[in-house]
Amino acid sequence: MELKIALLKGDGIGPEIVDSAVMVLEKIAKKFGHTFIFTPYLIGGCAIDETGMPLPQETVDGCMASDSVLLGAVGGPKWDSLGGDVRPEKALLGIRSALGLYTNLRPAKLYPALRNASPLKDEIVGDGFDLLIVRELTGGIYFGERGLREGRFGTEAFDTEAYSITEIERIGKAAFEAAMKRRKSVCSIDKANVLESSRLWRKTMHELSEQYPEVHYTDMLVDNAAMQLVRDPKQFDVIVTSNMFGDILSDEASQITGSIGMLASASLGASKRGLYEPIHGSAPDIAGKDIANPIATVLSGAMMLRYSFDLNKEADAIEAAVDRVLEEGHRTADIIGTDKSRTPLGCSEMTKKILKVI
Ligand code: NAD
């Protein structure tokens, strides 16, 4: 397969971690007989420095012309004092909206080898957990009608949650399709005991579930889900939920893994083209020191292979290599914990270990 991948390295540790992921993808291409053509484009602070804008049109056009996009991270203190429209972070919303990305996939996996990193007790996490949150990204209360008005107690502010059947169906499909590539279980999370929008959400999800008889389907109220994530995260495979509930639950889920440098994410739309990125930021405090953990970005590359290109064997090979490297005891500084007997690896050393296993 010949595939075009746009690289948005961004700022801070972005260039280091994207370079690591590219090396891993190149190795996979060689091993499995593919050709990946990588083209870098500017985004974030470095784009402001070069062009005055955080998201130049050339970057948008380049991403649109690619089969998929790999992003590092944007932002840093250098650009913090700039106004809203020219801030680096503005580019993230811009590129997601330009690519029409309405599905956000956030895996939260606790590797057995990193069990100590989780704030949860051993008896809860056992030998680790592996769940995927599918969050609706472009609808709901973050995009609903809003404003100020005169109410019973004087001036009040309001935001509205609205979901159409079309929006619910398309995010639901993304969740069921993802579950088919995993352990075939979907839990839809809503607040159907209170919210009208949640009742439509639940009814639509139930109807959709009939098209996926192989998938075990359940639903759960969001308050219970927040509890269940810390009480028994192993019960979940794929969680599907609205924009706001997903925003909150995905942060909770990443916290219980205890290691921000390990977590990948994907944003997808109607086409196969997606945007893949680590969940962490540009970590300006460690930029340029070759000590960043590249694994979240390497695993974002694996997600790209799986979800945009249907290259499952290739994605498995990357994920298995990361598992193996951790099992062998290799750690970057952020995941070394309190074990003083280990020497932390740098970003390029960790990348070499992964390449060697592949
Ligand atoms: P951050 O995620 O960049 O860093 C938080 C902490 O985690 C820091 O101590 C950092 O060193 C550490 N860390 C993060 N990634 C790591 C990795 N791969 N390996 C080792 N350690 C890692 O969050 P922040 O400090 O709040 O934000 C820094 C900048 O990043 C800000 O400008 C913010 O706006 C931006 N940001 C960008 C994105 C994005 O591009 N998607 C997301 C979040 C924050």
Side-chain angles (χ1 to χ4, degrees):
M1 248 175 149
E2 184 175 298
L3 294 156
K4 287 188 274 191
I5 300 173
L7 299 178
L8 309 181
K9 297 185 184 185
D11 309 311
I13 59 170
E16 304 163 44
I17 55 179
V18 170
D19 287 347
S20 293
V22 166
M23 280 186 250
V24 170
L25 289 169
E26 272 172 343
K27 182 95 182 187
I28 287 287
K30 199 162 167 210
K31 181 174 164 130
F32 290 88
H34 305 298
T35 305
F36 298 148
I37 301 160
F38 298 99
T39 314
Y41 296 97
L42 293 170
I43 192 166
C46 58
I48 297 174
D49 289 349
E50 285 255 334
T51 70
M53 287 181 306
L55 183 64
Q57 189 58 41
E58 194 192 339
T59 299
V60 176
D61 295 344
C63 292
M64 298 293 283
S66 302
D67 295 303
S68 215
V69 183
L70 183 65
L71 171 73
V74 300
K78 182 176 174 193
W79 305 281
D80 274 351
S81 55
L82 296 173
D85 269 359
V86 280
R87 280 186 62 103
E89 292 79 2
K90 184 89 184 162
L92 297 175
L93 290 178
I95 192 68
R96 285 179 193 140
S97 117
L99 297 176
L101 307 173
Y102 54 79
T103 302
N104 186 229
L105 303 183
R106 267 193 40 184
K109 178 169 172 176
L110 176 63
Y111 293 82
L114 296 182
R115 188 169 62 223
N116 291 339
S118 173
L120 300 183
K121 289 183 178 151
D122 276 356
E123 60 260 37
I124 294 176
V125 295
D127 56 358
F129 56 82
D130 177 5
L131 60 92
L132 173 70
I133 298 198
V134 179
R135 168 188 169 195
E136 202 287 326
L137 209 54
T138 55
I141 197 162
Y142 293 175
F143 293 88
E145 202 187 323
R146 66 188 59 205
L148 291 174
R149 64 187 172 199
E150 286 310 304
R152 214 151 45 101
F153 301 104
T155 303
E156 64 182 21
F158 68 98
D159 302 274
T160 38
E161 169 96 344
Y163 269 113
S164 64
I165 293 173
T166 305
E167 288 171 297
I168 303 167
E169 275 177 351
R170 68 184 188 183
I171 190 73
K173 274 190 190 133
F176 282 100
E177 297 294 336
M180 292 296 288
K181 295 181 177 183
R182 294 172 47 99
R183 302 192 304 278
K184 299 195 172 66
S185 164
V186 168
C187 180
S188 168
I189 289 173
D190 60 42
K191 189 69 183 166
N193 54 343
V194 179
L195 301 176
E196 200 56 44
S197 53
S198 276
R199 281 193 274 277
L200 182 65
W201 179 283
R202 188 173 284 210
K203 178 172 177 285
T204 309
M205 286 293 175
H206 268 264
E207 286 166 9
L208 187 63
S209 71
E210 286 163 18
Q211 294 174 28
Y212 295 88
E214 282 176 69
V215 177
H216 175 68
Y217 174 79
T218 50
D219 33 49
M220 192 180 275
L221 295 173
V222 63
D223 38 351
N224 186 23
M227 283 196 298
Q228 295 298 332
L229 271 174
V230 290
R231 200 189 69 84
D232 179 19
K234 287 157 94 73
Q235 70 184 282
F236 296 110
D237 176 22
V238 174
I239 286 174
V240 60
T241 193
S242 63
N243 201 343
M244 182 165 68
F245 295 161
D247 188 5
I248 298 164
L249 294 177
S250 59
D251 270 13
E252 185 187 1
S254 53
Q255 272 308 304
I256 58 174
T257 71
S259 35
I260 193 173
M262 300 284 304
L263 299 175
S265 81
S267 301
L268 303 168
S271 77
K272 280 281 189 185
R273 188 192 309 108
L275 176 74
Y276 297 83
E277 58 183 313
I279 70 156
H280 58 72
S282 60
D285 51 333
I286 57 167
K289 297 182 180 164
D290 192 26
I291 56 171
N293 186 346
I295 293 180
T297 318
V298 167
L299 292 174
S300 301
M303 286 188 85
M304 174 186 290
L305 299 183
R306 192 180 303 286
Y307 292 104
S308 279
F309 305 152
D310 289 319
L311 297 175
N312 291 317
K313 272 200 317 286
E314 291 81 342
D316 287 346
I318 296 179
E319 288 163 0
V322 168
D323 279 352
R324 169 92 173 274
V325 163
L326 295 173
E327 287 298 337
E328 285 173 356
H330 303 298
R331 302 280 188 273
T332 44
D334 58 311
I335 52 172
I336 207 155
T338 51
D339 185 352
K340 300 276 180 266
S341 66
R342 295 181 208 266
T343 314
L345 297 185
C347 182
S348 42
E349 288 167 311
M350 179 55 105
T351 309
K352 274 189 205 142
K353 297 283 178 204
I354 298 169
L355 291 171
K356 191 163 167 224
V357 175
I358 295 172

